[in-house]
Amino acid sequence: MNTSSKTTLSSDYTKPHYELLDGLRGVAAILVICYHIFEGFAFAKGGAIDTLNHGYLAVDFFFILSGFVISYAYDDRWKSNLTICNFFKRRLIRLHPMVIMGAIIGAISFCIGGSQQWDGTHIGISATMLALLCAMFLIPAVPGHSSYEVRGNGEMFPLNGPTWSLFFEYIGNILYALFIRRLSTKSLSLLVVLLGILHIWFTCSNISQYGNIGVGWTLDSVNFWGGLLRMLLPFTIGMLIARNFKPFKIRGAFWICAIILLILFSIPYLKEYNGIHINGIFESICIIVIFPTLIWIGASGTITDNKSSMICHFLGEISYPAYIVHYPIMYLFYQWLIKNKLYTLTDTWQIATIVVIVSIAIAYACLKLYDIPLRQHLFKKFISKYGNNK
């Protein structure tokens, strides 16, 4: 996922911002946190998620936003004197400080939780430190072959599970800089169509056997190729929207889009019917049709008062930090649920509320005390002194 602010902070943006998209990114990030609360209940009782069922689709929404923002911010700058090296510097400065912070918080959380796998097996400090080092450099754990797969449930990044999406985000950025940006709009459209066909086949045939598009979090073959497809389709759709975007007048765009996201994420899991994976069809429709429409509506909307602008700005600022640091807190919440055999929001709403608030508070503290200052320093040291467009 990507984040932004109203003005150029340190690395990516010299153009005016789409503030409503910032706000929607924040809404999606908060919905992810809430989704993981309900995931905890399902994990603790060994069942299926029964509330906010499709919250994992927020990741696909993030990938569309990322493609849109990157194409909007950079496409025309390659025609001047932006270099691949400079682009990669900017993206690393923008994304990687919080990757490192998420890994550190993940290691602290793991130690607080007793340094043990989910089955109770104790993990030594050396394996934990190795997992931390690998997470900092985005080196994924291979299930069954990596000593630093410390939680024992196959996660690519066991100290902070959601880092998997940053792994694919980086791949998307590399492919964009080396190849995809060079495609004409017509060729990009053809690529989107081909990826869309593959995506529909993948989801509707239930290739992963998950019953949903929730792939990419581990490093087996289905999850790697499925995760790559899961990133590439929405990312290129976002690029295509940016290249063809023409705004139209619409009132209440932020609330319209936010409510639709909540409704989509809340739709119950759709069961297979006569061999047809209805849930896969629903998810492909969301990613190929509905989410791009929401991006278009959000980019077309305008903010007319300071209060709304402040809300969207705040949501946009915390979106990436909240996404990347909240899950280590969830691990502790899950352990608490399992220990106390609590499986519903009714029984745990006070603690669940605290978990959400603490996740957002830690994200905000990381943003203000660590992420922004560090990015400003790195931008000044590695970008500004060479000129913004070199």
Side-chain angles (χ1 to χ4, degrees), residues 166-209:
L166 272 296
F167 175 81
F168 285 106
E169 171 84 11
Y170 275 36
I171 292 176
N173 279 233
I174 292 170
L175 292 176
Y176 165 79
L178 297 180
F179 307 110
I180 303 177
R181 68 176 176 85
R182 304 176 189 274
L183 297 177
S184 66
T185 300
K186 184 176 180 180
S187 297
L188 180 62
S189 301
L190 179 60
L191 177 61
V192 168
V193 170
L194 293 175
L195 289 171
I197 292 171
L198 282 174
H199 192 279
I200 293 171
W201 166 75
F202 188 88
T203 57
C204 295
S205 300
N206 194 22
I207 300 299
S208 68
Q209 298 299 307

Side-chain angles (χ1 to χ4, degrees), residues 47-122:
I49 300 172
D50 55 14
T51 305
L52 222 60
N53 304 65
H54 292 93
Y56 51 84
L57 290 177
V59 173
D60 307 88
F61 185 74
F62 292 147
F63 283 142
I64 297 179
L65 276 170
S66 183
F68 178 89
V69 170
I70 287 176
S71 184
Y72 170 71
Y74 289 107
D75 274 3
D76 57 353
R77 296 171 66 178
W78 297 103
K79 301 174 184 177
S80 54
N81 57 350
L82 177 67
T83 65
I84 290 177
C85 181
N86 187 261
F87 172 79
F88 288 151
K89 285 181 184 178
R90 289 171 176 270
R91 299 311 296 153
L92 282 170
I93 291 171
R94 185 65 196 93
L95 297 174
H96 212 73
M98 286 308 302
V99 170
I100 293 173
M101 179 56 69
I104 292 172
I105 294 175
I108 294 172
S109 170
F110 185 69
C111 292
I112 291 174
S115 299
Q116 59 184 17
Q117 295 185 343
W118 291 113
D119 64 3
T121 302
H122 182 76

Side-chain angles (χ1 to χ4, degrees), residues 62-339:
F62 292 147
F63 283 142
I64 297 179
L65 276 170
S66 183
F68 178 89
V69 170
I70 287 176
S71 184
Y72 170 71
Y74 289 107
D75 274 3
D76 57 353
R77 296 171 66 178
W78 297 103
K79 301 174 184 177
S80 54
N81 57 350
L82 177 67
T83 65
I84 290 177
C85 181
N86 187 261
F87 172 79
F88 288 151
K89 285 181 184 178
R90 289 171 176 270
R91 299 311 296 153
L92 282 170
I93 291 171
R94 185 65 196 93
L95 297 174
H96 212 73
M98 286 308 302
V99 170
I100 293 173
M101 179 56 69
I104 292 172
I105 294 175
I108 294 172
S109 170
F110 185 69
C111 292
I112 291 174
S115 299
Q116 59 184 17
Q117 295 185 343
W118 291 113
D119 64 3
T121 302
H122 182 76
I123 299 298
I125 189 66
S126 60
T128 303
M129 292 299 100
L130 179 59
L132 173 60
L133 182 64
C134 290
M136 286 180 169
F137 287 93
L138 276 185
I139 301 173
V142 180
H145 296 86
S146 299
S147 61
Y148 53 91
E149 206 285 277
V150 293
R151 290 195 183 273
N153 59 348
E155 288 175 288
M156 190 185 294
F157 297 98
L159 295 178
N160 188 17
T163 306
W164 72 265
S165 62
L166 272 296
F167 175 81
F168 285 106
E169 171 84 11
Y170 275 36
I171 292 176
N173 279 233
I174 292 170
L175 292 176
Y176 165 79
L178 297 180
F179 307 110
I180 303 177
R181 68 176 176 85
R182 304 176 189 274
L183 297 177
S184 66
T185 300
K186 184 176 180 180
S187 297
L188 180 62
S189 301
L190 179 60
L191 177 61
V192 168
V193 170
L194 293 175
L195 289 171
I197 292 171
L198 282 174
H199 192 279
I200 293 171
W201 166 75
F202 188 88
T203 57
C204 295
S205 300
N206 194 22
I207 300 299
S208 68
Q209 298 299 307
Y210 293 166
N212 57 57
I213 192 60
V215 293
W217 57 277
T218 188
L219 204 60
D220 59 28
S221 58
V222 169
N223 274 272
F224 176 77
W225 294 109
L228 190 61
L229 175 63
R230 188 180 181 187
M231 176 277 297
L232 275 176
L233 175 63
F235 187 88
T236 52
I237 287 175
M239 287 185 60
L240 195 60
I241 295 172
R243 290 191 183 185
N244 294 279
F245 178 69
K246 293 181 180 179
F248 60 91
K249 292 184 178 180
I250 182 169
R251 298 183 62 181
F254 174 77
W255 296 108
I256 291 171
C257 295
I259 291 171
I260 291 175
L261 280 177
L262 177 59
I263 292 172
L264 292 174
F265 292 175
S266 301
I267 288 176
Y269 179 81
L270 304 172
K271 296 181 180 180
E272 181 179 339
Y273 180 75
N274 289 338
I276 301 174
H277 293 274
I278 306 300
N279 203 65
I281 295 174
F282 167 74
E283 292 177 340
S284 287
I285 290 174
C286 285
I287 295 166
I288 297 172
V289 179
I290 303 178
F291 288 171
T293 302
L294 295 182
I295 300 296
W296 203 295
I297 292 173
S300 296
T302 56
I303 295 177
T304 57
D305 61 279
N306 290 333
K307 184 177 180 179
S308 297
S309 179
M310 290 175 60
I311 291 173
C312 286
H313 180 61
F314 172 76
L315 288 172
E317 278 199 318
I318 64 144
S319 58
Y320 177 44
Y323 175 78
I324 203 64
V325 304
H326 81 279
Y327 209 64
I329 301 165
M330 290 295 168
Y331 288 128
L332 297 176
F333 178 61
Y334 293 3
Q335 286 180 304
W336 180 78
L337 291 174
I338 294 170
K339 179 180 179 180

